[in-house]
Each structure stands twice: as structure tokens, then as C-alpha cells.
Amino acid sequence: MPEAMVASSASEATRGATTQQVDVAVVGAGFAGLYLLNRLRKAGFSSVLLEEAGDVGGTWYWNRYPGARCDIQTIDYAYTFDPELERAWQWSEKYATQPEILRYLGFVADRYDLRRDIRFGTKVTATTWDQAAERWWLTTDNGASVSCRYCIMATGCLSAPKPPEIDGVKDFKGEVYFTGRWPHEEIKLAGKRVAVIGTGSSGIQLIPLIAEQAAHLTVFQRTPNFALPAHNGAPPADRIALLEGDRAGYREQARMSLAGVPWPQQMAVSWQLSDAERRERFETAWAAGDLVYILTQLWADQAVDVDGNTLLADLIREKIREIVKDPETAAALTPHDHPFGAKRPCLDTNYYATYNRPNVTLVNLRQEPITGITASGIKTGKRSLDVDVIVFATGFDAMTGAIMAVHPITGRDGKSLSDVWANGPRTYLGLTVAGFPNLFMITGPGSPSVLSNMAVSIEQHVDWVADRLIAMREAGLTTIEATETAQAGWARHMADCSTLTLHRLANTWYTGANVPGKASGVMPYTGGVGPYRTICDEVVSCGMLGFRLTGPNVPEQCNDGEVVRLQPDVRLVLNMLAEMNLPPIESMGAQGARDFVAEFNKSRPAGRPVGEVVDGTLPGADGPLPYRLYRPATPGPHPIVVYFHGGGWVLGDEQSDDPFCRDMCRRTGMSFVSVGYRHAPEHRFPAAAEDGYAATRWIAEHAAEIGGKPGPLMVAGWSAGGNIAAVTCQLARDRGGPAISGQLLVCPVTDCGFDRPSYTDNATGYFLTRSLMYWFWDIYCSPADRTDPRVSPLRGKLENLPPALVATCEFDPLRDEGVAYAEALSAAGAPVEQLKARGHFHSSLTMVDVVITGVAARVQMADALCRFAGLPPERKEGDEGVRPRSDSLAA
Ligand code: N01
């Protein structure tokens, strides 16, 4: 029985006969609304779709300005839910025009007979949750209000145009147009003086076409944007062949990709490629005319690292200078204030070349801001320009504007969504909001949405929501609401994801910066379409994790919790390792495990260049030991850090933490000497500890010889190497030197006890397992020796030790003994800084350029080493935003 047949509550009855009763109300008839209506109807829900416009299309209905096109290739920017539909529609161009996309959406509406459930010309003015009836009540500006069990906002991310924010628009006597509300009739611009304000995607598509018609075009640019040639034409044969060769596989690859378009993850890092190789890759991308390709396919670090990004941005800047003849105009058009991709780049046709036309002028608003609009034109700080037409290509109140345009949205206990979002949107999965039961958003803030191919994201959202409604109906459930815990966890995960990308370094509509007074923060989910999809699926497979569900005749269900507690890249690494289905390392034998680690390390990104790498040998406690010296590119002598690699006293060597040593050498401007101490089982306790001490002593005595600064040095180590570093400090204190000015202990082994909670909490599943630790201990050290401070430094005397930074990771068996060591050192009087890396696992902080979210921790470690050496911290572009806040690393 459809829900609509259920008797209305008394409160509904008072709303009168003009209320339309349905199971589901959908707001907005764009890509999302149309597919929703189709799915809901097929599932047997009674539905109505309310649409302000006179026809279907959503943003494609309103954005009719000349040049409007999609900028994801049309074969990817289309529905995929019905193979018959795919066969029934052929796109004429690689990037279809707005009229063609609108025709497509009309075709879809007709094919599935959707219009009969759409109320066009009907704006939803407000909506209220009726707790007693467990229904939403929607008021409209045209006809009956609507009472529904579920309300779904399919209002689009870029559909609420931003007001002009410039004084005097009403005084202007000429014509005014907004790209986002372009008239249906043809606008004649021939012979007219036209001004365009705004150089985002809309402006960049529009400007070349207006220039061809207008007597004169003046472009008012506040921020230059990166634009790339679309090379539009017929749909490319190679992509069509790929699609037609394996349609299902192609679509599935898109669904699991980062951006919703099937391009593979790029593995090569920029510093592995020569200048010529990088240029060749760039030229291929420039010629390809594909936004997602150039955003993802050049080198692995282009979107996550400022240096890798600058290499690409510089090549685009070079192109702008090549195309635009007037150097001053070229300079004004060249973006310098944001990384490439952090602000939405544009695809263009002749955009830069348009500025070579004699009838086009660029006004740089950074030099002469608009002071107002007058009856005859536009005034800037330097001049008055008379024009006949002003076109505002000034963008949208993105992501939240169209949702908030329905005002108020009143949820449980009378809470208004605008109040709940006063400091920025808070959602669970970008789909729901705590306090607003049975309300869903399609591609809402907190979902990949605008950072993805919208068509793919919309289908995923619609399917997820429709499947939930079906499952609820089958289970006799009538309400669903996100919990505050789940929502707070999602906000944390969102913030973690945004440290992975460079979006945090730009002020854009992604961050709300384009709307005066709007709360700032990266609004879309930056973790990628595929990972997002698996998270949504995990929510379901974990019993609707983070949702409270109720029904009249069934017990309330609430499996409360956070869906992602790991850092996003740690999650990817662990998933990848799980997929490899490796045998336990401890089953491989010592040599087998060493071979495995060596092989595994070959697949990691190469370490970054440093000034010089020198291999040598030094005397250990019982014979020569290899070492590798990493020297910075700056003139020496440099402070020295003696480094001990990880590997449970059994695995690894002086080269096995190569990327970490290089990274820390670059970040600190210090020389790192990585010592190849002896390993068990060949050399059991106390070989590693004694080698560590002997090596440190030799390095201190020969500092000048290896280009280091004489005087106190520092020690550092990861895992078992952290153990050796800690032990070395104790031995140096007790054996008369050398002087050590600081110790950096990264996830160190500090004690032989296995009973701390981190050993149980993280016994399996995070690569370093409890049984692997048992194995390491058994190989290195007999039970009788284990309480010796040379292997359990926590049991040693802790007075008079050097300052320390102790880094621990939340999902690491060794976490609690690291914390215990930090606390004990501090209690004994050493200055100690604790770095508790939330969401990280044992290997996170040394997996340079794989676990990108480990950067913040390495910045903090480098700062600590500089402090130990009495130097100011090294500053690196891009560190802003990752330099840890006190809460960001706390476990
Ligand atoms: O809007 P925008 P858009 N005074 O916000 C300037 C999608 N889209 O409509 O950067 C002076 O990008 C503003 O300057 P600044 C696509 O995702 C897709 O162009 O804020 N200038 C900026 O230059 C796109 O990113 C397609 O300093 C003012 C411009 O106006 C998104 O929609 C086509 C100003 C606004 O650019 C939005 O694009 C079109 C002021 N008061 C759009 N206020 C496709 O190809 C704003 N500006 C699929």
C-alpha cells in the first residue's frame, strides 16, 4: 500500500484539502530530480517533483548564455542507469552545447513519462517537519502544498545565482543579463558596447562569442583563472571505442575513479621525470582538451603537492604568454594566487586569443576595483566606461544557496537549517543532516559533487537514497536521521580529506569565499568518487552506521559511530594491502620477510632529490656498518641527525627509509646519517643497541669529515629504530657522550610489555600486528633480557635525557608505550613534545608521498628538530594549512 494512503494526522487535516499527499517530494527537475522520479516511481512510491522553471533541465534550463557547454566529455556526462537509453541517444559533440543537453534531458523526461508527476512553475517556499505525523510539509508559491514522508532536495550545486554585490545596478539604463538566468529569446549584441563582469567558467565560455558580435567588449576581471583549450569537435573516436568495447567495465571504472571519469591513477612523480618528459606529458594534455585528463594524468603529485603543482601551473602560464600578444594583458590574465585545480579551471574555445582582438579590453580589477554602476556604465577606481549592456558572469551561491533558498527548512524541535548551518554546512555523507529526519540532499555539501563528474555522483546518490527507502519500507521503518556522532565524524573526515588536496590554499566558491559573509571551508568531499561510494556502501553493510531509524511497530535501530576513523589515504593503503592478500610477514622467515620488504619498497614513489647522497661505512660495536648520508642542497656545514630505520630489529637497512630521510633532510636543512645497524636473528640483543650507540659516537667524532656541524647532534628513528634512538640517548648519558641535543622518536618500541590497550585495540588489521611484534621480539631478544633498558628504555633511568618529540599513531599496537615513554621522560624533567597522529597507522609517517596526510606530522617533526638544533623552523610553501593545529593530530 503506498504510504500516501496512510491516514493523515490531525495537524495535516488542518492544512486543508489543498495539500497533495505523496510518499516522496523531490525538489528540482535537473539531472538528479529526473532520475530520482524514475527510480521512486519504479519502486512504487507515489512522488511529486516540484520545479520552479517552466520545464526540465535544472541548471541547464537557466544557463542559456552563448557558449554554454558541459566541460566533462558528453559520453561521460550522461545517465548510465539504462543501457537502452545510452543506445537511444547519440551526442553530436565531444562537449555538447546547452541546447543539446537540454534536449537530452527533455528526451529522458519523455522516454520515462516523467512530466506527469512534475509540477512546473512551482517554487517550494518553505518546508517543515511534522514530528507527530512524521512527514514533511512543503509550501509552494503555486498551488497545493505537499505532505510527504520523505523530502529530497535535488536542487543542484550551481543553480542559485549570486547577487551582483555592486552598487548602482538599478540605476543602469542599458541592458543587464546574468549568465545564470539568461533570457530565452535571442539577445542581439551586434554594434553594442558590452561589459562582462566575471571570468569563471561562464565568463570564459561567453567572452569569445560576445567579442565576435559586440562593437566593443570590456572584460572586468577580478581573479585570473586557468583556462585550457577544449578542442571541441566530434566525440573522440578513441574514447567511444573504449566505451563501446566494454560499456559496463568503462562505467564501473568511472564509478570507482577519483573524479567520476575513467582515467587511471597516475603513479609517476614529477621529480622522477626530466624537464623534457614533463613538457611532453603537458603538451599531450594541452592537445587532448580534457579537463579531467590534465587535472589528473600528468604526475602523481600535481594535485597534492605545491611543488608538483607549480611545475604544471608554470607550463600553463607559459602558454598564456605565448598566446596573448600584449605582455601587460598576458600578465593580468595569468593566475598566480592559487594552485592549478584548487580553483575550478575552465575549458575554453579561443579565450586567451580573444584578447588579441582590437575590440576587446581587459580591465584588471585588482588594480582598479569597480566603485559602482551608473546610468551609463561602470566606474572603476581609475575611469568611467560607458556601455550599452552589462553581463554578470559572477557565479553562484554554490552548494548551499539553492537548498537555503527554500527558507525556512524547519527540522525536528523547530530547528532551522539556516541556523544549523550558520557556521558552514554540516552533513552526514553530504546526504543528510542530523536533526532533519527523512530529508535527503542529492550531491549536497560533504559529497564529491562539484569535484566530480556530476552525472556519476548523481546516479550514485539517487541509487543509495532510493535503495534505503525501499529497505526501510520492507523493514517497517518510517524515519531515518543521521546522528550527531556520525555527522561530527564526517566533518573530521572531510577536514582530513581536504589536507590531501590543495583546495585549502585557494579562496573559491568551493570554500564559500565568493559570497560575502558566507562561512568558509572546503564544502565538497575531496576524497574522491570511488572511495566515497565504498564509504556509503560500508554505512549500509555496517547496519546503517550513524543513522537512527524508527517505525511504528519495530524497535528503534541505531548503530551509532563514525564511518571513517582512519585518515583517507591510510584507508586506501590498508585496503590495497588487504586486496593483496599477503601471507603474514612472520610466516615468511627472516630472509623471506627481508626480500618481501625490499620488493615492496620498489613500488613506492622515489624519494625526493636532496643535495647529495653519500654511502660509506663506519665502525660499529663489532665491525664496520654501512651508512647512507643525505646532505641538503644548501652550503654546509649542517647539523647532523643520526637516523635508525624501522624493521623490528630484523628487517630493513640504511636505505629502507630512504624517502623519509630525504623528506626530513629537505624539511630541516640538516644532514641525515642513516645507519645500517646489525640485525637479528644473526645478531641478537644487544647488537642493534650497541651499534646504534657506537655509530652515534663515531659520527659525532667525525662530524666535520662528513660535512656536518661539530657539536651536539640529534638522533631519530622509527619503530625499532626509535627504540635504538631512545636507547642511544640513555647510553650517551651514561657513557660520557656524545652530546645529543634532541631525540625524535617515531612510533618507537619502548617496552617489552604487551598489555597496554593499543596492543589489543590494534592487534590485527593495521599491517603491524600484535603477532608480528611478538615475532620481532622473539627473534631479537630472549625473554630474560627484555627488561634491560637497552631494549626496554621505558624501564631505564630517565633523568637528564635530551628534549624529545615522541610521535605515536592512533592505530598502532605501539601507541601506548610511545605515549608512556613521552610521559615518563617528561616526568623525569625532559622537555617533551607529543605528536599523536589521529587516524594514522604504524607506517603512516614514514610513507612519504603515499600517506600525504602524514605531511602535517613531518612538518611538526622538522620544526622540533630545528628547535633541538637551536634554529628557526624551515618554512616551505604549502605547509600553511597543514602545520598542525593543536586538535588536528590529537588522538
Ligand atoms: O562562476 P565563478 P561561473 N565583482 O564563480 C567574478 C560551473 N560551470 O558561473 O574569482 C567582480 O566561477 C569572480 O571573481 P573572483 C563550473 O563548475 C560549468 O563562471 O571571485 N567580479 C569570477 O571571476 C564553474 O566553476 C560550466 O575574484 C566578481 C566570476 O565572477 C561554476 O559553474 C560552465 C564579483 C565568477 O566565476 C561557476 O562558474 C559554467 C564582483 N562582485 C559554469 N563577483 C561548464 O562548462 C564575482 N566575480 C560545464
Side-chain angles (χ1 to χ4, degrees), residues 835 852-861 882-884 888-889:
L835 188 169
I852 311 286
T853 51
V855 168
R858 288 196 301 279
V859 169
Q860 192 177 345
M861 294 179 202
V882 299
R883 204 166 277 279
S888 65
L889 292 162

Side-chain angles (χ1 to χ4, degrees), residues 60 65 69-72 158 162 164-166 179 197-203 205 220 222-223 225 343-344 365-366 370 393-396 509 514:
W60 293 107
Y65 59 86
R69 292 175 186 277
C70 59
D71 57 8
I72 297 284
L158 294 158
K162 207 169 68 104
E165 301 150 5
I166 300 171
T179 48
I197 303 177
T199 52
S201 298
S202 306
Q205 288 183 331
F220 293 81
R222 191 162 65 183
T223 312
N225 220 335
K343 189 178 175 111
R344 175 68 146 71
L365 299 181
R366 296 285 172 205
I370 296 176
T394 41
F396 301 91
W509 60 257
N514 68 327

Side-chain angles (χ1 to χ4, degrees), residues 94-95 227-232 285-290 346-350:
K94 178 175 161 190
Y95 298 109
L228 315 144
H231 298 302
N232 197 20
W286 189 260
D290 186 303
C346 314
L347 276 194
D348 76 278
T349 302
N350 299 328

Side-chain angles (χ1 to χ4, degrees), residues 179-221:
T179 48
R181 287 289 180 273
W182 200 261
H184 286 216
E185 61 281 4
E186 193 194 345
I187 304 297
K188 295 202 164 54
L189 298 173
K192 293 182 182 166
R193 297 162 302 170
V194 181
V196 172
I197 303 177
T199 52
S201 298
S202 306
I204 283 173
Q205 288 183 331
L206 171 90
I207 284 163
L209 294 175
I210 294 198
E212 285 173 14
Q213 300 174 41
H216 196 89
L217 167 64
T218 310
V219 177
F220 293 81
Q221 173 196 271

Side-chain angles (χ1 to χ4, degrees), residues 222-571:
R222 191 162 65 183
T223 312
N225 220 335
F226 289 103
L228 315 144
H231 298 302
N232 197 20
D238 55 341
R239 300 301 291 174
I240 299 275
L242 210 59
L243 172 66
E244 288 179 353
D246 175 12
R247 189 171 289 270
Y250 182 98
R251 295 300 188 206
E252 186 54 21
Q253 201 191 335
R255 290 180 190 122
M256 295 316 293
S257 68
L258 283 181
V261 179
W263 291 111
Q265 174 73 38
Q266 183 52 241
M267 299 309 285
V269 282
S270 61
W271 56 93
Q272 273 179 311
L273 304 167
S274 66
D275 284 354
E277 284 168 326
R278 283 198 297 268
R279 186 169 288 275
E280 193 187 325
R281 282 174 180 232
F282 170 71
E283 291 295 348
T284 304
W286 189 260
D290 186 303
L291 203 51
V292 181
Y293 185 91
I294 201 165
L295 280 166
T296 59
Q297 296 299 300
L298 298 204
W299 37 86
D301 48 313
Q302 67 180 78
V304 295
D305 180 83
V306 169
D307 296 342
N309 189 278
T310 303
L311 289 166
L312 168 53
D314 282 346
L315 290 165
I316 304 175
R317 292 184 189 116
E318 214 178 288
K319 287 283 184 197
I320 301 172
R321 282 193 297 275
E322 266 169 40
I323 301 169
V324 181
K325 295 202 177 106
D326 172 43
E328 203 182 320
T329 308
L333 285 166
T334 305
H336 283 287
D337 73 332
H338 62 274
F340 171 65
K343 189 178 175 111
R344 175 68 146 71
C346 314
L347 276 194
D348 76 278
T349 302
N350 299 328
Y351 176 63
Y352 292 119
T354 295
Y355 292 93
N356 295 333
R357 295 175 65 107
N359 69 332
V360 176
T361 310
L362 179 70
V363 175
N364 182 350
L365 299 181
R366 296 285 172 205
Q367 288 172 359
E368 44 176 315
I370 296 176
T371 52
I373 292 178
T374 63
S376 60
I378 299 175
K379 263 178 96 163
T380 72
K382 289 189 181 162
R383 53 186 144 162
S384 289
L385 280 141
D386 286 349
V387 292
D388 306 306
V389 179
I390 302 178
V391 176
F392 286 94
T394 41
F396 301 91
D397 182 354
M399 306 212 66
T400 53
I403 297 172
M404 307 286 258
V406 176
H407 183 73
I409 296 178
T410 310
R412 204 163 33 72
D413 305 326
K415 270 190 204 148
S416 157
L417 188 64
S418 52
D419 292 339
V420 172
W421 282 6
N423 297 320
R426 293 281 177 272
T427 70
Y428 183 35
L429 306 170
L431 281 160
T432 58
V433 185
F436 295 79
N438 292 12
L439 178 78
F440 292 97
M441 295 165 296
I442 303 300
T443 64
S447 76
S449 56
V450 289
L451 292 178
S452 69
N453 173 0
M454 278 295 208
V456 167
S457 286
I458 283 170
E459 285 194 337
Q460 185 267 342
H461 270 199
V462 169
D463 288 338
W464 194 91
V465 172
D467 290 344
R468 300 295 65 72
L469 300 197
I470 294 167
M472 285 176 67
R473 183 176 58 190
E474 283 166 5
L477 295 160
T478 48
T479 75
I480 175 169
E481 183 184 342
T483 68
E484 293 286 353
T485 311
Q487 188 163 286
W490 192 247
R492 246 190 315 275
H493 175 58
M494 288 271 298
D496 292 341
C497 288
S498 73
T499 64
L500 270 177
T501 71
L502 302 177
H503 290 291
R504 65 182 190 283
L505 302 179
N507 293 324
T508 65
W509 60 257
Y510 294 137
T511 67
N514 68 327
V515 176
K518 190 165 173 173
S520 105
V522 179
M523 290 186 288
Y525 177 75
T526 55
V529 165
Y532 175 81
R533 176 181 291 268
T534 59
I535 291 168
C536 289
D537 293 346
E538 212 168 294
V539 165
V540 178
S541 65
C542 294
M544 292 305 287
L545 182 61
F547 283 105
R548 180 169 288 109
L549 299 111
T550 66
N553 303 311
V554 287
E556 178 178 305
Q557 298 176 18
C558 184
N559 180 16
D560 203 2
E562 297 173 36
V563 60
V564 185
R565 291 181 58 211
L566 291 167
Q567 291 291 332
D569 39 9
V570 169
R571 189 180 149 92

Side-chain angles (χ1 to χ4, degrees), residues 625-646:
L625 302 175
Y627 73 82
R628 175 164 275 202
L629 165 68
Y630 300 87
R631 199 177 281 140
T634 50
H638 305 101
I640 292 181
V641 180
V642 182
Y643 179 77
F644 303 106
H645 65 83

